[in-house]
Amino acid sequence: MLQAAIRAPEGNPAGLAFLYRRQFELCKVQRGETIALVSDLTTRREYIQAAFAAADELGADVYEMCVNAVPSWTKVGVPTIGKCKGTLEAVRAADIIVIFHVPLFTKWLKEVMDGGTRVLMIIDAPDDLDHLMSPKGLKDAVKHAHKRLSQTKKVHVVSDAGTDFTYTCGEYPVMSQWGYADEPGHFDHWGAGHVHTFPNEGTANGTVVFQPGDIIILPYCRYVQDPVRLDIRDGFVTNIEGGLDAKLMRDWLNDNKSSPDDRDPFAVSHLGWGLNPQSLWYGIALNGDEPERSRAAARTFPGNFLFSTGPNTQGGGKRNTRGHYDVPMRDCTVILDNQVVIEKGRLVDPAMVVEREAR
């Protein structure tokens, strides 16, 4: 790569170890605990070095397990732990796992979390780790949103762009992330701040319209350029209409079918909203479309409604398809059992609103 094409980090690289220490303190890493760093062939070496230094400062024991793989951002549910003898047993014995690729929708992740191990995922760029670190009050806001969604029976989402979509909840657990893994059996993503759940099977119905400015964060990393209309019946996307963005979605989901009659890529998957005030909707315009700059920020900016299709094994379901599609949507109104919590993309429940910190 040409040197001129490399965007230099804005932060001081020497401060990375200090940043990791602050994050580990949020995760309540204690003296004598064991930290397992799960890296891969593409992991930034400075992240491993910073984690080692931070662990030493806190008196924790730490080791690195590098898997012989290059995990793909676009293929979820592919296990990197458990194939080699002893790897699953090793990470299950750790107090906290720090993993540098996406472990979601894998069986091993559920096993270690069920055993009480904390899991922290780090997959964003250095500047974003600093800017997105959980601000004061975010955990409380996320916990409040988690409670409200857990008590909800029916969700209704509408927008001026044409979205009019409903689903019922309760069959699958609510999942929440506030940016650090400080509780037994809790998974989190450094830079996160959102809640979601999977709809009850067969209950998602209506119309979802992506509009320009919405973000396709997976499998692509780009703003929606032209409107996309989805018809949803009994839990599945049955029709996709539009221009280029519709073609991109349709082809990706079709290409990830395991057989001609496989509908799993078109199933409605996790649905929820973002609350992290440090996350910026305009991050892609500011920093470019490199996924490492947007993995957390694009899906957690306050008031977005995150629509997705594909797998639901993370919630206890049986769909394990690679046909996953994540779209944080702007300007939606989200109604929980007839109570508005987001109005045209703005959080209106005061307990969900967190002040942005200048960094």
Side-chain angles (χ1 to χ4, degrees):
M1 180 180 293
L2 293 175
Q3 189 65 32
I6 300 175
R7 187 185 295 260
E10 297 176 1
N12 186 341
L16 198 57
F18 175 71
L19 201 63
Y20 267 68
R21 174 169 178 160
R22 286 170 53 198
Q23 179 68 14
F24 283 2
E25 288 174 337
L26 288 174
C27 293
K28 296 184 178 178
V29 171
Q30 303 295 315
R31 178 173 298 275
E33 284 196 315
T34 295
I35 305 173
L37 307 179
V38 180
S39 63
D40 59 74
L41 300 178
T42 63
T43 300
R44 289 173 175 262
R45 293 314 301 171
E46 63 267 34
Y47 281 10
I48 303 301
Q49 294 160 0
F52 280 156
D56 280 347
E57 286 289 319
L58 296 173
D61 298 315
V62 60
Y63 69 90
E64 177 188 4
M65 178 189 297
C66 182
V67 298
N68 183 24
V70 181
S72 172
W73 169 243
T74 62
K75 294 180 180 178
V76 298
V78 180
T80 55
I81 294 293
K83 290 185 178 181
C84 292
K85 296 176 182 178
T87 54
L88 179 57
E89 291 78 7
V91 295
R92 286 177 65 178
D95 295 290
I96 180 169
I97 297 168
V98 178
I99 187 164
F100 297 93
H101 50 261
V102 182
L104 297 172
F105 300 101
T106 60
K107 291 182 180 179
W108 76 262
L109 177 62
K110 184 177 187 304
E111 286 190 38
V112 299
M113 290 170 60
D114 286 347
T117 297
R118 316 192 300 277
V119 182
L120 176 68
M121 180 174 71
I122 304 177
I123 56 173
D124 293 84
D127 288 338
D128 300 296
L129 296 184
D130 185 11
H131 186 75
L132 298 176
M133 183 175 283
S134 186
K136 183 179 179 181
L138 180 58
K139 180 177 179 179
D140 290 339
V142 171
K143 287 275 193 177
H144 172 74
H146 182 116
K147 182 178 179 180
R148 290 208 61 175
L149 187 54
S150 296
Q151 296 171 340
T152 297
K153 300 300 182 184
K154 183 178 180 180
V155 180
H156 188 192
V157 184
V158 297
S159 75
D160 291 345
T163 294
D164 191 348
F165 171 62
T166 62
Y167 57 96
T168 61
C169 305
E171 183 175 348
Y172 297 105
V174 173
M175 299 179 179
S176 56
Q177 298 173 20
W178 47 84
Y180 48 92
D182 62 331
E183 298 181 359
H186 178 64
F187 171 88
D188 221 303
H189 174 186
W190 185 344
H194 60 294
V195 297
H196 70 263
T197 190
F198 297 87
N200 293 356
E201 294 294 338
T203 67
N205 283 285
T207 302
V208 169
V209 178
F210 305 150
Q211 62 178 326
D214 292 342
I215 301 173
I216 306 166
I217 189 57
L218 196 155
Y220 315 115
C221 185
R222 66 193 299 272
Y223 292 114
V224 171
Q225 303 296 313
D226 46 27
V228 179
R229 175 191 170 98
L230 310 180
D231 293 329
I232 299 171
R233 298 292 178 268
D234 301 329
F236 290 86
V237 176
T238 58
N239 189 46
I240 304 173
E241 294 181 357
L244 172 62
D245 285 294
K247 292 177 181 177
L248 287 169
M249 182 177 190
R250 189 185 306 114
D251 284 5
W252 172 260
L253 298 181
N254 277 323
D255 284 350
N256 279 281
K257 292 163 64 172
S258 61
S259 65
D261 58 351
D262 179 21
R263 300 179 68 204
D264 285 356
F266 294 85
V268 177
S269 185
H270 57 81
L271 306 167
W273 62 90
L275 299 99
N276 189 347
Q278 304 302 121
S279 299
L280 305 175
W281 162 76
Y282 53 79
I284 294 176
L286 191 65
N287 301 313
D289 59 2
E290 173 58 41
E292 191 187 35
R293 296 306 310 266
S294 300
R295 286 167 178 158
R299 55 170 40 84
T300 63
F301 65 89
N304 86 78
F305 177 73
L306 178 58
F307 177 87
S308 74
T309 76
N312 67 351
T313 51
Q314 194 65 30
K318 298 180 180 179
R319 290 194 305 274
N320 195 28
T321 177
R322 295 185 182 181
H324 195 33
Y325 216 81
D326 276 1
V327 185
M329 301 168 60
R330 286 174 53 92
D331 304 328
C332 290
T333 295
V334 179
I335 307 160
L336 308 183
D337 290 335
N338 298 317
Q339 294 186 331
V340 176
V341 295
I342 299 174
E343 184 173 10
K344 295 186 176 181
R346 183 175 60 89
L347 294 165
V348 294
D349 181 338
M352 295 186 197
V353 178
V354 181
E355 185 176 352
R356 178 183 295 172
E357 296 180 359
R359 294 176 183 169

